Amino acid sequence: QEYKVVVTKDGYSSITLDNIFILRLPTNAVGVLTNDGSGNYTWSASSFSESGDYSPTGTWDWLSPLTISAINAAGESANALTLSGTLGAMDATGTDIFRGIYLNYTNANHTGGAFYGIDIADITEDTDAQEIGIKIGTGYDYGIMSSSKLLLKGDGSTTKGTVQLTDLDNDGYVAITPANETTSYTLTLPGTSPTGVLRADTGVMSASDTLSGIVINGGTASTVAAWDGSQNLTSLSSQNVITTGYIDGAINVTVSTSTPVTVSGSSGYYINGSDAAKTFNLPAAAKGLAYCFANALYARAITIHPASGDYIILAGENNDSSDVVSAGASTDKICVLAIDSTYWLVTSSTGTWGND
């Protein structure tokens, strides 16, 4: 209420004081005095009304840590703190950024201690409930984007830092769990897509175009590896090579129309396929190789020529690196067998054959 006060004293002029307000304030009350802009004042408690709606502006400086304590009622759900709203349209240049919670601290030169942007304290695990520190829903391009190193730690005694990648229905998962190590290792992936086999060499990931440097454990020395019916890699000595069909025992047959003929590959039979003399150059002798040579329709001489340093034993005679030549009948045939890395032994022959 507005009042006017007149002050009068003998010997002095009177003084009139206009527009005096007398405010009735609560005794020893903590509160806020608010003017509504029309000269009306109200007194209210210093705390926020639980049912009020507030639109604060500017910067609030908390001189003391702010604590919000809220729990759910038994058997019910609750949200201790909710930040919500509908985002306005942002421009297409990517300069607009909205942050739900923004931490912007200036660091100092520390001599110890630690700084946590967000710290989630330990909780007692309950087998009947699922405890998740941070839950990120769908629709985000990235659930977590970090420009700093990402550290996944265990509890320091029984639990390791583990990554779990689940399947489509979140029922099964693949867990990536480190082994017990006494030394730290760095895993470096190739800068480009590898063209060979991806492997780890002393803690560094690299690519190789050959299997020669890769160790696959579990096999038997000097045996061939094969997949079994359960898709397990094992030694061929314990597998049945053929489960259907049969082996016909066919040998390699080559009909030659040119000369000279270079004999190569596995053992086989070579036929003179043209009306001309033929020279067959043997490969270097290797124990177990066997070849046969024959005319079929043509009566032409056949020459068997050993590699340099090799010998052909014909009728118990060493030919001293010379050729073995037939007389040229259409029925000429000869077979040779390498008995070591130097000597070929004539095991059978038809016709007349001699050392050249």
Side-chain angles (χ1 to χ4, degrees), residues 118-282:
I118 297 177
D119 187 6
I120 302 176
D122 296 340
I123 193 172
T124 302
E125 185 177 0
D126 192 313
T127 57
D128 295 329
Q130 188 178 50
E131 293 84 17
I132 299 176
I134 296 177
K135 180 180 180 298
I136 302 174
T138 61
Y140 293 91
D141 290 331
Y142 303 98
I144 296 177
M145 182 175 67
S146 176
S147 297
S148 301
K149 293 180 291 186
L150 187 62
L151 175 63
L152 301 178
K153 298 184 64 176
D155 62 4
S157 59
T158 60
T159 303
K160 302 177 182 180
T162 301
V163 177
Q164 290 186 1
L165 306 176
T166 64
D167 58 12
L168 288 176
D169 59 4
N170 296 321
D171 182 40
Y173 62 85
V174 174
I176 303 175
T177 303
N180 292 328
E181 297 292 346
T182 57
T183 304
S184 298
Y185 294 96
T186 299
L187 177 65
T188 304
L189 296 178
T192 58
S193 299
T195 57
V197 180
L198 201 61
R199 65 182 185 182
D201 294 324
T202 317
V204 178
M205 191 65 73
S206 62
S208 173
D209 58 1
T210 177
L211 293 175
S212 60
I214 297 177
V215 176
I216 301 177
N217 295 320
T220 302
S222 302
T223 60
V224 178
W227 298 105
D228 63 14
S230 300
Q231 295 300 299
N232 296 316
L233 193 63
T234 185
S235 298
L236 187 62
S237 58
S238 62
Q239 303 299 305
N240 294 322
V241 178
I242 297 178
T243 57
T244 60
Y246 59 91
I247 298 178
D248 60 11
I251 64 173
N252 182 38
V253 176
T254 302
V255 178
S256 303
T257 58
S258 61
T259 190
V261 177
T262 299
V263 177
S264 63
S266 59
S267 301
Y269 214 110
Y270 284 80
I271 304 296
N272 181 3
S274 63
D275 192 8
K278 290 290 183 294
T279 297
F280 293 95
N281 293 328
L282 290 173

Side-chain angles (χ1 to χ4, degrees), residues 62-151:
W62 304 103
L63 299 180
S64 299
L66 176 64
T67 300
I68 299 176
S69 178
I71 60 173
N72 64 304
E76 296 182 6
S77 301
N79 296 322
L81 177 63
T82 300
L83 303 178
S84 64
T86 301
L87 296 179
M90 301 181 188
D91 60 37
T93 62
T95 58
D96 290 345
I97 299 176
F98 175 83
R99 301 177 177 95
I101 297 177
Y102 182 42
L103 274 64
N104 184 18
Y105 291 97
T106 300
N107 207 0
N109 293 325
H110 308 293
T111 59
F115 169 74
Y116 299 107
I118 297 177
D119 187 6
I120 302 176
D122 296 340
I123 193 172
T124 302
E125 185 177 0
D126 192 313
T127 57
D128 295 329
Q130 188 178 50
E131 293 84 17
I132 299 176
I134 296 177
K135 180 180 180 298
I136 302 174
T138 61
Y140 293 91
D141 290 331
Y142 303 98
I144 296 177
M145 182 175 67
S146 176
S147 297
S148 301
K149 293 180 291 186
L150 187 62
L151 175 63

Side-chain angles (χ1 to χ4, degrees), residues 26 29-34 42-50 54 60 62:
V30 178
V32 178
L33 182 64
T34 305
T42 58
W43 186 266
S44 62
S46 59
S47 61
F48 293 117
S49 171
E50 293 184 358
Y54 304 96
W60 295 10
W62 304 103

